[in-house]
Amino acid sequence: MNFLIVFCLIFSPIHGLNLTPIVNLTSGPIQGKVTEYESIGVYQFLGIPYAKPPVDKLRFQLPVEPDPWTEVEPATAPGPACLQPPVLPNIKETSEDCLYLNIFVTESTFNNSSNKQRPVLFWIHGGGFTTGSGVIDGLPIVSLHDVVLFGGDPNSVTIFGASAGSVSVSAHLLSPLSKGLFKRAILESGTIYQNHNDDTLVLDSWKLYNKTSCSKSKDVLECMQNLSATEILNNISDKVLAYSFKVGDDFLPYEPSKAFAEGFFDNSIDILLGVVKNDGSVFMKAIDPIVFDYSKVPQPISYQQATTYLKRIFNSESVDYFRELYFGPETNDSDFRSQLEIAYSDATFICPTYVFGLQYASSLGSQGGKVYAYYHTQKPKTDHMPEWIGTYHGADVSYVFGTNLQNPGNSHKDASLSREMMKIWTYFAENGETPMIGETRWKTMQESKSAMILNIDDWGKTETERIEFCHKEWPYMSKNVIIGLGPFPNIQFLIEHS
C-alpha cells in the first residue's frame, strides 16, 4: 500500500508563463488546467499515474510505484477506465493501463496551501468490481465547500465510496495495511458483509482460467500474464462482485466478525454510512429477469408467486420464517412485489451496511471514533423509472457530488437536498461529526440505533425500524441468504430515465 503515499501530496505551486498550475509530485512535475464553477476558480489535475501500468509481468501483482520523470507532464485529461464488460456509455476509453488519479482543488486553496491545508475527500468508484470509472464531476462539491478531491492535508483524509466502492472502504477500515492513511470514512450502500465468499471467489477464478487457452498450462501465473487482455475480458464472469478480495492475506487477514470481536482494527476512525430506501430493486433480475425487468410494465405478483421467489433469496430451511416475516399470513392481496423488494434490499445492501456500522460502533471504547447512519429516501423528480423501483441503488451519488445541480430539469427539492448533502459530507470530512439537521441533533449509532432521513420533505426526522430490524434479524439472515446481486443494471436505461 505504499503507493498511496503519492495521494497525500502537499501543493507547492510553480507558475509557468501561462499561469496554469504546476505541481511537484514525488514522481515528477505535472501541469493541470483551470475551470470555473459559479464564478469560483477550480484547478484540475487529471490522469496522474499512481502506479506502473499493471501489464505483462505486473499483471495480477501488487502495485509498483511509477517511474519518476523530470519534464513537466500535462495533467489535463483523465486516464482511461479499466477494461470492462460491458463498457458504460459515459466511458470513452478503456485500457489495462488504467491506474490514474484525478485531483480537484479551488484556486484559492491551491494558492494558500502553505498557510492553511484543507480536508481531503478520496473517492473510490463503484461498479461491482466489474465496471465503472474514477472519472467524476467534482466541480460543485469542491468549489462550494472548499475541499480537495484529492490532495491537501494528509492528516485529514476521508475515504468514501458507493456500492463496490463502499465495500472497498469497509475493507480498508479493517485492513492493518491501511492504518494511519485516513482519518474518516463514508460508506454509501455496501460493506464486506455483502456477497463475500472465499470459495466462490476461488471457483470463479478457476472458471475464468479454464475458459482461456491457458487451461492446460503448467505455469498458471506466467501463462495468464502473457494472455491478451481481450481473451481474459471475453471470458470473465458477468456476476457483480465476482472478483473482489480474499480473507487471509496481508490486506485482510481476518474475517470481519473476528476483527470486530478481537479488536483487530483501527478504532479511531469516524464513520458516516447509510443506504437508499430501495437499494436492491434494480438488481432483482437475479430473481427473475422477466418479471423484474424494470424497462417493462410490472405485473402483479401473488402470494404464492412471491413465496416461490423468496426461495431464490433464502435457503429452503428458512423460507417459512422469512415468508412470515415479510409477507405475514396468506392473503388474497394482488401484489407482493414491494415486500419482495424489501426482503431483497435487506439481504443485499441495507442489513450488511447497517450491521457493519453497528458492529463497528459497539466495538469502540470511549476514545474510539464516532459512527453516524443515514437513510436516503428522496427520489429524483427527473427519475422516470417504474414506481416499484423506488429510490434505487446509487440514486444518492448525484446528490453528493452536486451533479444534478447542472441538470436543467432538476427540481427545487432535489437541488435543496443536493446542497444539504454536500454540506453534510464535507462538514463530516472536516470535523468528524455531522451538522444539525434542521432542529435535530444527529445521534451516533453508539447512542441510538437510528438513521437520519435524507429527504427534504422529512428534514430532521429519523428512521429506526430498518436498523432495529437488521440488528435483530441479521444473525439468522446472514446464514441463510443464498442469492447475490444479479448482472449490473442497464446503466444506459438508468441514465435515460434519471
mmCIF file with all atom_site columns, all heavy atoms in Angstrom, residues 31-54:
data_model
loop_
_atom_site.group_PDB
_atom_site.id
_atom_site.type_symbol
_atom_site.label_atom_id
_atom_site.label_alt_id
_atom_site.label_comp_id
_atom_site.label_asym_id
_atom_site.label_entity_id
_atom_site.label_seq_id
_atom_site.pdbx_PDB_ins_code
_atom_site.Cartn_x
_atom_site.Cartn_y
_atom_site.Cartn_z
_atom_site.occupancy
_atom_site.B_iso_or_equiv
_atom_site.pdbx_formal_charge
_atom_site.auth_seq_id
_atom_site.auth_comp_id
_atom_site.auth_asym_id
_atom_site.auth_atom_id
_atom_site.pdbx_PDB_model_num
ATOM 1   N N   . GLN A 1 31 ? 1.266   19.551 -14.787 1.00 0.00 ? 31 GLN A N   1
ATOM 2   C CA  . GLN A 1 31 ? 0.586   20.818 -15.025 1.00 0.00 ? 31 GLN A CA  1
ATOM 3   C C   . GLN A 1 31 ? -0.870  20.540 -15.364 1.00 0.00 ? 31 GLN A C   1
ATOM 4   O O   . GLN A 1 31 ? -1.179  19.776 -16.272 1.00 0.00 ? 31 GLN A O   1
ATOM 5   C CB  . GLN A 1 31 ? 1.242   21.579 -16.173 1.00 0.00 ? 31 GLN A CB  1
ATOM 6   C CG  . GLN A 1 31 ? 0.640   22.959 -16.410 1.00 0.00 ? 31 GLN A CG  1
ATOM 7   C CD  . GLN A 1 31 ? 1.431   23.756 -17.427 1.00 0.00 ? 31 GLN A CD  1
ATOM 8   O OE1 . GLN A 1 31 ? 1.887   23.209 -18.420 1.00 0.00 ? 31 GLN A OE1 1
ATOM 9   N NE2 . GLN A 1 31 ? 1.626   25.038 -17.169 1.00 0.00 ? 31 GLN A NE2 1
ATOM 10  N N   . GLY A 1 32 ? -1.776  21.160 -14.600 1.00 0.00 ? 32 GLY A N   1
ATOM 11  C CA  . GLY A 1 32 ? -3.201  20.928 -14.788 1.00 0.00 ? 32 GLY A CA  1
ATOM 12  C C   . GLY A 1 32 ? -3.870  22.020 -15.588 1.00 0.00 ? 32 GLY A C   1
ATOM 13  O O   . GLY A 1 32 ? -3.216  22.797 -16.285 1.00 0.00 ? 32 GLY A O   1
ATOM 14  N N   . LYS A 1 33 ? -5.190  22.073 -15.490 1.00 0.00 ? 33 LYS A N   1
ATOM 15  C CA  . LYS A 1 33 ? -5.950  23.085 -16.220 1.00 0.00 ? 33 LYS A CA  1
ATOM 16  C C   . LYS A 1 33 ? -6.891  23.812 -15.261 1.00 0.00 ? 33 LYS A C   1
ATOM 17  O O   . LYS A 1 33 ? -7.223  23.315 -14.184 1.00 0.00 ? 33 LYS A O   1
ATOM 18  C CB  . LYS A 1 33 ? -6.750  22.452 -17.353 1.00 0.00 ? 33 LYS A CB  1
ATOM 19  C CG  . LYS A 1 33 ? -7.845  21.499 -16.917 1.00 0.00 ? 33 LYS A CG  1
ATOM 20  C CD  . LYS A 1 33 ? -8.594  20.959 -18.132 1.00 0.00 ? 33 LYS A CD  1
ATOM 21  C CE  . LYS A 1 33 ? -9.738  20.049 -17.717 1.00 0.00 ? 33 LYS A CE  1
ATOM 22  N NZ  . LYS A 1 33 ? -10.497 19.544 -18.888 1.00 0.00 ? 33 LYS A NZ  1
ATOM 23  N N   . VAL A 1 34 ? -7.344  24.988 -15.670 1.00 0.00 ? 34 VAL A N   1
ATOM 24  C CA  . VAL A 1 34 ? -8.206  25.826 -14.847 1.00 0.00 ? 34 VAL A CA  1
ATOM 25  C C   . VAL A 1 34 ? -9.622  25.787 -15.399 1.00 0.00 ? 34 VAL A C   1
ATOM 26  O O   . VAL A 1 34 ? -9.835  25.947 -16.608 1.00 0.00 ? 34 VAL A O   1
ATOM 27  C CB  . VAL A 1 34 ? -7.707  27.284 -14.816 1.00 0.00 ? 34 VAL A CB  1
ATOM 28  C CG1 . VAL A 1 34 ? -8.578  28.128 -13.894 1.00 0.00 ? 34 VAL A CG1 1
ATOM 29  C CG2 . VAL A 1 34 ? -6.246  27.342 -14.398 1.00 0.00 ? 34 VAL A CG2 1
ATOM 30  N N   . THR A 1 35 ? -10.594 25.558 -14.513 1.00 0.00 ? 35 THR A N   1
ATOM 31  C CA  . THR A 1 35 ? -12.000 25.642 -14.885 1.00 0.00 ? 35 THR A CA  1
ATOM 32  C C   . THR A 1 35 ? -12.706 26.517 -13.857 1.00 0.00 ? 35 THR A C   1
ATOM 33  O O   . THR A 1 35 ? -12.082 27.008 -12.909 1.00 0.00 ? 35 THR A O   1
ATOM 34  C CB  . THR A 1 35 ? -12.650 24.244 -14.922 1.00 0.00 ? 35 THR A CB  1
ATOM 35  O OG1 . THR A 1 35 ? -12.403 23.585 -13.675 1.00 0.00 ? 35 THR A OG1 1
ATOM 36  C CG2 . THR A 1 35 ? -12.115 23.419 -16.067 1.00 0.00 ? 35 THR A CG2 1
ATOM 37  N N   . GLU A 1 36 ? -13.998 26.694 -14.033 1.00 0.00 ? 36 GLU A N   1
ATOM 38  C CA  . GLU A 1 36 ? -14.731 27.570 -13.140 1.00 0.00 ? 36 GLU A CA  1
ATOM 39  C C   . GLU A 1 36 ? -16.124 27.014 -12.884 1.00 0.00 ? 36 GLU A C   1
ATOM 40  O O   . GLU A 1 36 ? -16.752 26.441 -13.768 1.00 0.00 ? 36 GLU A O   1
ATOM 41  C CB  . GLU A 1 36 ? -14.833 28.970 -13.755 1.00 0.00 ? 36 GLU A CB  1
ATOM 42  C CG  . GLU A 1 36 ? -15.299 30.041 -12.798 1.00 0.00 ? 36 GLU A CG  1
ATOM 43  C CD  . GLU A 1 36 ? -15.256 31.428 -13.419 1.00 0.00 ? 36 GLU A CD  1
ATOM 44  O OE1 . GLU A 1 36 ? -16.255 31.787 -14.085 1.00 0.00 ? 36 GLU A OE1 1
ATOM 45  O OE2 . GLU A 1 36 ? -14.241 32.129 -13.260 1.00 0.00 ? 36 GLU A OE2 1
ATOM 46  N N   . TYR A 1 37 ? -16.595 27.165 -11.629 1.00 0.00 ? 37 TYR A N   1
ATOM 47  C CA  . TYR A 1 37 ? -17.968 26.789 -11.289 1.00 0.00 ? 37 TYR A CA  1
ATOM 48  C C   . TYR A 1 37 ? -18.544 27.853 -10.367 1.00 0.00 ? 37 TYR A C   1
ATOM 49  O O   . TYR A 1 37 ? -17.956 28.151 -9.323  1.00 0.00 ? 37 TYR A O   1
ATOM 50  C CB  . TYR A 1 37 ? -18.012 25.416 -10.609 1.00 0.00 ? 37 TYR A CB  1
ATOM 51  C CG  . TYR A 1 37 ? -19.423 24.966 -10.291 1.00 0.00 ? 37 TYR A CG  1
ATOM 52  C CD1 . TYR A 1 37 ? -20.241 24.432 -11.271 1.00 0.00 ? 37 TYR A CD1 1
ATOM 53  C CD2 . TYR A 1 37 ? -19.934 25.111 -9.002  1.00 0.00 ? 37 TYR A CD2 1
ATOM 54  C CE1 . TYR A 1 37 ? -21.544 24.031 -10.990 1.00 0.00 ? 37 TYR A CE1 1
ATOM 55  C CE2 . TYR A 1 37 ? -21.235 24.718 -8.706  1.00 0.00 ? 37 TYR A CE2 1
ATOM 56  C CZ  . TYR A 1 37 ? -22.028 24.175 -9.706  1.00 0.00 ? 37 TYR A CZ  1
ATOM 57  O OH  . TYR A 1 37 ? -23.325 23.791 -9.421  1.00 0.00 ? 37 TYR A OH  1
ATOM 58  N N   . GLU A 1 38 ? -19.657 28.441 -10.759 1.00 0.00 ? 38 GLU A N   1
ATOM 59  C CA  . GLU A 1 38 ? -20.308 29.517 -10.005 1.00 0.00 ? 38 GLU A CA  1
ATOM 60  C C   . GLU A 1 38 ? -19.298 30.607 -9.621  1.00 0.00 ? 38 GLU A C   1
ATOM 61  O O   . GLU A 1 38 ? -19.187 31.013 -8.463  1.00 0.00 ? 38 GLU A O   1
ATOM 62  C CB  . GLU A 1 38 ? -21.029 28.975 -8.771  1.00 0.00 ? 38 GLU A CB  1
ATOM 63  C CG  . GLU A 1 38 ? -22.215 28.076 -9.122  1.00 0.00 ? 38 GLU A CG  1
ATOM 64  C CD  . GLU A 1 38 ? -23.141 27.824 -7.956  1.00 0.00 ? 38 GLU A CD  1
ATOM 65  O OE1 . GLU A 1 38 ? -22.886 28.347 -6.850  1.00 0.00 ? 38 GLU A OE1 1
ATOM 66  O OE2 . GLU A 1 38 ? -24.142 27.099 -8.151  1.00 0.00 ? 38 GLU A OE2 1
ATOM 67  N N   . SER A 1 39 ? -18.509 31.007 -10.619 1.00 0.00 ? 39 SER A N   1
ATOM 68  C CA  . SER A 1 39 ? -17.512 32.086 -10.507 1.00 0.00 ? 39 SER A CA  1
ATOM 69  C C   . SER A 1 39 ? -16.363 31.749 -9.561  1.00 0.00 ? 39 SER A C   1
ATOM 70  O O   . SER A 1 39 ? -15.637 32.647 -9.115  1.00 0.00 ? 39 SER A O   1
ATOM 71  C CB  . SER A 1 39 ? -18.182 33.395 -10.049 1.00 0.00 ? 39 SER A CB  1
ATOM 72  O OG  . SER A 1 39 ? -19.194 33.784 -10.961 1.00 0.00 ? 39 SER A OG  1
ATOM 73  N N   . ILE A 1 40 ? -16.192 30.487 -9.243  1.00 0.00 ? 40 ILE A N   1
ATOM 74  C CA  . ILE A 1 40 ? -15.089 30.055 -8.385  1.00 0.00 ? 40 ILE A CA  1
ATOM 75  C C   . ILE A 1 40 ? -14.088 29.282 -9.241  1.00 0.00 ? 40 ILE A C   1
ATOM 76  O O   . ILE A 1 40 ? -14.453 28.309 -9.913  1.00 0.00 ? 40 ILE A O   1
ATOM 77  C CB  . ILE A 1 40 ? -15.596 29.173 -7.234  1.00 0.00 ? 40 ILE A CB  1
ATOM 78  C CG1 . ILE A 1 40 ? -16.576 29.963 -6.361  1.00 0.00 ? 40 ILE A CG1 1
ATOM 79  C CG2 . ILE A 1 40 ? -14.426 28.647 -6.393  1.00 0.00 ? 40 ILE A CG2 1
ATOM 80  C CD1 . ILE A 1 40 ? -17.275 29.122 -5.312  1.00 0.00 ? 40 ILE A CD1 1
ATOM 81  N N   . GLY A 1 41 ? -12.845 29.687 -9.223  1.00 0.00 ? 41 GLY A N   1
ATOM 82  C CA  . GLY A 1 41 ? -11.815 29.008 -9.995  1.00 0.00 ? 41 GLY A CA  1
ATOM 83  C C   . GLY A 1 41 ? -11.456 27.669 -9.388  1.00 0.00 ? 41 GLY A C   1
ATOM 84  O O   . GLY A 1 41 ? -11.260 27.553 -8.177  1.00 0.00 ? 41 GLY A O   1
ATOM 85  N N   . VAL A 1 42 ? -11.391 26.642 -10.233 1.00 0.00 ? 42 VAL A N   1
ATOM 86  C CA  . VAL A 1 42 ? -11.045 25.291 -9.784  1.00 0.00 ? 42 VAL A CA  1
ATOM 87  C C   . VAL A 1 42 ? -9.911  24.764 -10.649 1.00 0.00 ? 42 VAL A C   1
ATOM 88  O O   . VAL A 1 42 ? -9.973  24.838 -11.884 1.00 0.00 ? 42 VAL A O   1
ATOM 89  C CB  . VAL A 1 42 ? -12.254 24.339 -9.882  1.00 0.00 ? 42 VAL A CB  1
ATOM 90  C CG1 . VAL A 1 42 ? -11.842 22.916 -9.471  1.00 0.00 ? 42 VAL A CG1 1
ATOM 91  C CG2 . VAL A 1 42 ? -13.401 24.826 -9.001  1.00 0.00 ? 42 VAL A CG2 1
ATOM 92  N N   . TYR A 1 43 ? -8.868  24.264 -10.013 1.00 0.00 ? 43 TYR A N   1
ATOM 93  C CA  . TYR A 1 43 ? -7.759  23.641 -10.720 1.00 0.00 ? 43 TYR A CA  1
ATOM 94  C C   . TYR A 1 43 ? -8.008  22.137 -10.791 1.00 0.00 ? 43 TYR A C   1
ATOM 95  O O   . TYR A 1 43 ? -8.348  21.502 -9.789  1.00 0.00 ? 43 TYR A O   1
ATOM 96  C CB  . TYR A 1 43 ? -6.439  23.892 -9.992  1.00 0.00 ? 43 TYR A CB  1
ATOM 97  C CG  . TYR A 1 43 ? -5.925  25.319 -10.077 1.00 0.00 ? 43 TYR A CG  1
ATOM 98  C CD1 . TYR A 1 43 ? -4.841  25.719 -9.309  1.00 0.00 ? 43 TYR A CD1 1
ATOM 99  C CD2 . TYR A 1 43 ? -6.509  26.255 -10.936 1.00 0.00 ? 43 TYR A CD2 1
ATOM 100 C CE1 . TYR A 1 43 ? -4.350  27.018 -9.382  1.00 0.00 ? 43 TYR A CE1 1
ATOM 101 C CE2 . TYR A 1 43 ? -6.032  27.548 -11.011 1.00 0.00 ? 43 TYR A CE2 1
ATOM 102 C CZ  . TYR A 1 43 ? -4.955  27.928 -10.229 1.00 0.00 ? 43 TYR A CZ  1
ATOM 103 O OH  . TYR A 1 43 ? -4.489  29.211 -10.315 1.00 0.00 ? 43 TYR A OH  1
ATOM 104 N N   . GLN A 1 44 ? -7.818  21.593 -11.980 1.00 0.00 ? 44 GLN A N   1
ATOM 105 C CA  . GLN A 1 44 ? -7.954  20.148 -12.171 1.00 0.00 ? 44 GLN A CA  1
ATOM 106 C C   . GLN A 1 44 ? -6.623  19.564 -12.609 1.00 0.00 ? 44 GLN A C   1
ATOM 107 O O   . GLN A 1 44 ? -5.981  20.084 -13.505 1.00 0.00 ? 44 GLN A O   1
ATOM 108 C CB  . GLN A 1 44 ? -9.004  19.839 -13.241 1.00 0.00 ? 44 GLN A CB  1
ATOM 109 C CG  . GLN A 1 44 ? -10.407 20.294 -12.903 1.00 0.00 ? 44 GLN A CG  1
ATOM 110 C CD  . GLN A 1 44 ? -11.412 19.859 -13.950 1.00 0.00 ? 44 GLN A CD  1
ATOM 111 O OE1 . GLN A 1 44 ? -11.351 18.735 -14.448 1.00 0.00 ? 44 GLN A OE1 1
ATOM 112 N NE2 . GLN A 1 44 ? -12.333 20.741 -14.298 1.00 0.00 ? 44 GLN A NE2 1
ATOM 113 N N   . PHE A 1 45 ? -6.243  18.483 -11.945 1.00 0.00 ? 45 PHE A N   1
ATOM 114 C CA  . PHE A 1 45 ? -5.056  17.722 -12.328 1.00 0.00 ? 45 PHE A CA  1
ATOM 115 C C   . PHE A 1 45 ? -5.553  16.311 -12.642 1.00 0.00 ? 45 PHE A C   1
ATOM 116 O O   . PHE A 1 45 ? -5.921  15.551 -11.734 1.00 0.00 ? 45 PHE A O   1
ATOM 117 C CB  . PHE A 1 45 ? -4.032  17.702 -11.195 1.00 0.00 ? 45 PHE A CB  1
ATOM 118 C CG  . PHE A 1 45 ? -3.581  19.072 -10.764 1.00 0.00 ? 45 PHE A CG  1
ATOM 119 C CD1 . PHE A 1 45 ? -4.276  19.767 -9.778  1.00 0.00 ? 45 PHE A CD1 1
ATOM 120 C CD2 . PHE A 1 45 ? -2.475  19.664 -11.338 1.00 0.00 ? 45 PHE A CD2 1
ATOM 121 C CE1 . PHE A 1 45 ? -3.868  21.030 -9.371  1.00 0.00 ? 45 PHE A CE1 1
ATOM 122 C CE2 . PHE A 1 45 ? -2.061  20.922 -10.944 1.00 0.00 ? 45 PHE A CE2 1
ATOM 123 C CZ  . PHE A 1 45 ? -2.761  21.616 -9.960  1.00 0.00 ? 45 PHE A CZ  1
ATOM 124 N N   . LEU A 1 46 ? -5.589  15.973 -13.904 1.00 0.00 ? 46 LEU A N   1
ATOM 125 C CA  . LEU A 1 46 ? -6.259  14.761 -14.354 1.00 0.00 ? 46 LEU A CA  1
ATOM 126 C C   . LEU A 1 46 ? -5.275  13.765 -14.951 1.00 0.00 ? 46 LEU A C   1
ATOM 127 O O   . LEU A 1 46 ? -4.306  14.144 -15.609 1.00 0.00 ? 46 LEU A O   1
ATOM 128 C CB  . LEU A 1 46 ? -7.334  15.112 -15.390 1.00 0.00 ? 46 LEU A CB  1
ATOM 129 C CG  . LEU A 1 46 ? -8.324  16.218 -15.010 1.00 0.00 ? 46 LEU A CG  1
ATOM 130 C CD1 . LEU A 1 46 ? -9.254  16.517 -16.176 1.00 0.00 ? 46 LEU A CD1 1
ATOM 131 C CD2 . LEU A 1 46 ? -9.113  15.836 -13.769 1.00 0.00 ? 46 LEU A CD2 1
ATOM 132 N N   . GLY A 1 47 ? -5.560  12.491 -14.729 1.00 0.00 ? 47 GLY A N   1
ATOM 133 C CA  . GLY A 1 47 ? -4.742  11.446 -15.341 1.00 0.00 ? 47 GLY A CA  1
ATOM 134 C C   . GLY A 1 47 ? -3.358  11.321 -14.757 1.00 0.00 ? 47 GLY A C   1
ATOM 135 O O   . GLY A 1 47 ? -2.385  11.068 -15.465 1.00 0.00 ? 47 GLY A O   1
ATOM 136 N N   . ILE A 1 48 ? -3.232  11.474 -13.427 1.00 0.00 ? 48 ILE A N   1
ATOM 137 C CA  . ILE A 1 48 ? -1.930  11.341 -12.764 1.00 0.00 ? 48 ILE A CA  1
ATOM 138 C C   . ILE A 1 48 ? -1.665  9.859  -12.488 1.00 0.00 ? 48 ILE A C   1
ATOM 139 O O   . ILE A 1 48 ? -2.441  9.201  -11.789 1.00 0.00 ? 48 ILE A O   1
ATOM 140 C CB  . ILE A 1 48 ? -1.911  12.103 -11.434 1.00 0.00 ? 48 ILE A CB  1
ATOM 141 C CG1 . ILE A 1 48 ? -2.271  13.581 -11.649 1.00 0.00 ? 48 ILE A CG1 1
ATOM 142 C CG2 . ILE A 1 48 ? -0.553  11.972 -10.752 1.00 0.00 ? 48 ILE A CG2 1
ATOM 143 C CD1 . ILE A 1 48 ? -2.502  14.328 -10.357 1.00 0.00 ? 48 ILE A CD1 1
ATOM 144 N N   . PRO A 1 49 ? -0.580  9.284  -12.997 1.00 0.00 ? 49 PRO A N   1
ATOM 145 C CA  . PRO A 1 49 ? -0.297  7.867  -12.718 1.00 0.00 ? 49 PRO A CA  1
ATOM 146 C C   . PRO A 1 49 ? 0.131   7.676  -11.266 1.00 0.00 ? 49 PRO A C   1
ATOM 147 O O   . PRO A 1 49 ? 1.001   8.383  -10.770 1.00 0.00 ? 49 PRO A O   1
ATOM 148 C CB  . PRO A 1 49 ? 0.854   7.546  -13.678 1.00 0.00 ? 49 PRO A CB  1
ATOM 149 C CG  . PRO A 1 49 ? 1.525   8.860  -13.926 1.00 0.00 ? 49 PRO A CG  1
ATOM 150 C CD  . PRO A 1 49 ? 0.441   9.897  -13.862 1.00 0.00 ? 49 PRO A CD  1
ATOM 151 N N   . TYR A 1 50 ? -0.545  6.765  -10.562 1.00 0.00 ? 50 TYR A N   1
ATOM 152 C CA  . TYR A 1 50 ? -0.126  6.489  -9.191  1.00 0.00 ? 50 TYR A CA  1
ATOM 153 C C   . TYR A 1 50 ? 0.550   5.130  -9.046  1.00 0.00 ? 50 TYR A C   1
ATOM 154 O O   . TYR A 1 50 ? 0.987   4.747  -7.958  1.00 0.00 ? 50 TYR A O   1
ATOM 155 C CB  . TYR A 1 50 ? -1.309  6.598  -8.225  1.00 0.00 ? 50 TYR A CB  1
ATOM 156 C CG  . TYR A 1 50 ? -2.436  5.612  -8.428  1.00 0.00 ? 50 TYR A CG  1
ATOM 157 C CD1 . TYR A 1 50 ? -2.379  4.329  -7.892  1.00 0.00 ? 50 TYR A CD1 1
ATOM 158 C CD2 . TYR A 1 50 ? -3.585  5.980  -9.110  1.00 0.00 ? 50 TYR A CD2 1
ATOM 159 C CE1 . TYR A 1 50 ? -3.418  3.441  -8.050  1.00 0.00 ? 50 TYR A CE1 1
ATOM 160 C CE2 . TYR A 1 50 ? -4.640  5.112  -9.276  1.00 0.00 ? 50 TYR A CE2 1
ATOM 161 C CZ  . TYR A 1 50 ? -4.559  3.829  -8.742  1.00 0.00 ? 50 TYR A CZ  1
ATOM 162 O OH  . TYR A 1 50 ? -5.604  2.942  -8.903  1.00 0.00 ? 50 TYR A OH  1
ATOM 163 N N   . ALA A 1 51 ? 0.666   4.400  -10.142 1.00 0.00 ? 51 ALA A N   1
ATOM 164 C CA  . ALA A 1 51 ? 1.396   3.125  -10.153 1.00 0.00 ? 51 ALA A CA  1
ATOM 165 C C   . ALA A 1 51 ? 1.776   2.815  -11.592 1.00 0.00 ? 51 ALA A C   1
ATOM 166 O O   . ALA A 1 51 ? 1.220   3.377  -12.537 1.00 0.00 ? 51 ALA A O   1
ATOM 167 C CB  . ALA A 1 51 ? 0.538   2.004  -9.567  1.00 0.00 ? 51 ALA A CB  1
ATOM 168 N N   . LYS A 1 52 ? 2.723   1.916  -11.761 1.00 0.00 ? 52 LYS A N   1
ATOM 169 C CA  . LYS A 1 52 ? 3.068   1.476  -13.104 1.00 0.00 ? 52 LYS A CA  1
ATOM 170 C C   . LYS A 1 52 ? 1.883   0.753  -13.730 1.00 0.00 ? 52 LYS A C   1
ATOM 171 O O   . LYS A 1 52 ? 1.079   0.144  -13.024 1.00 0.00 ? 52 LYS A O   1
ATOM 172 C CB  . LYS A 1 52 ? 4.273   0.537  -13.056 1.00 0.00 ? 52 LYS A CB  1
ATOM 173 C CG  . LYS A 1 52 ? 5.605   1.214  -12.812 1.00 0.00 ? 52 LYS A CG  1
ATOM 174 C CD  . LYS A 1 52 ? 6.742   0.197  -12.920 1.00 0.00 ? 52 LYS A CD  1
ATOM 175 C CE  . LYS A 1 52 ? 8.100   0.870  -12.733 1.00 0.00 ? 52 LYS A CE  1
ATOM 176 N NZ  . LYS A 1 52 ? 9.211   -0.108 -12.815 1.00 0.00 ? 52 LYS A NZ  1
ATOM 177 N N   . PRO A 1 53 ? 1.762   0.785  -15.049 1.00 0.00 ? 53 PRO A N   1
ATOM 178 C CA  . PRO A 1 53 ? 0.679   0.034  -15.694 1.00 0.00 ? 53 PRO A CA  1
ATOM 179 C C   . PRO A 1 53 ? 0.754   -1.451 -15.322 1.00 0.00 ? 53 PRO A C   1
ATOM 180 O O   . PRO A 1 53 ? 1.830   -2.054 -15.420 1.00 0.00 ? 53 PRO A O   1
ATOM 181 C CB  . PRO A 1 53 ? 0.950   0.248  -17.187 1.00 0.00 ? 53 PRO A CB  1
ATOM 182 C CG  . PRO A 1 53 ? 1.706   1.537  -17.246 1.00 0.00 ? 53 PRO A CG  1
ATOM 183 C CD  . PRO A 1 53 ? 2.547   1.565  -16.009 1.00 0.00 ? 53 PRO A CD  1
ATOM 184 N N   . PRO A 1 54 ? -0.365  -2.041 -14.883 1.00 0.00 ? 54 PRO A N   1
ATOM 185 C CA  . PRO A 1 54 ? -0.345  -3.442 -14.443 1.00 0.00 ? 54 PRO A CA  1
ATOM 186 C C   . PRO A 1 54 ? -0.430  -4.403 -15.632 1.00 0.00 ? 54 PRO A C   1
ATOM 187 O O   . PRO A 1 54 ? -1.390  -5.163 -15.792 1.00 0.00 ? 54 PRO A O   1
ATOM 188 C CB  . PRO A 1 54 ? -1.588  -3.528 -13.558 1.00 0.00 ? 54 PRO A CB  1
ATOM 189 C CG  . PRO A 1 54 ? -2.534  -2.538 -14.168 1.00 0.00 ? 54 PRO A CG  1
ATOM 190 C CD  . PRO A 1 54 ? -1.678  -1.414 -14.697 1.00 0.00 ? 54 PRO A CD  1
#
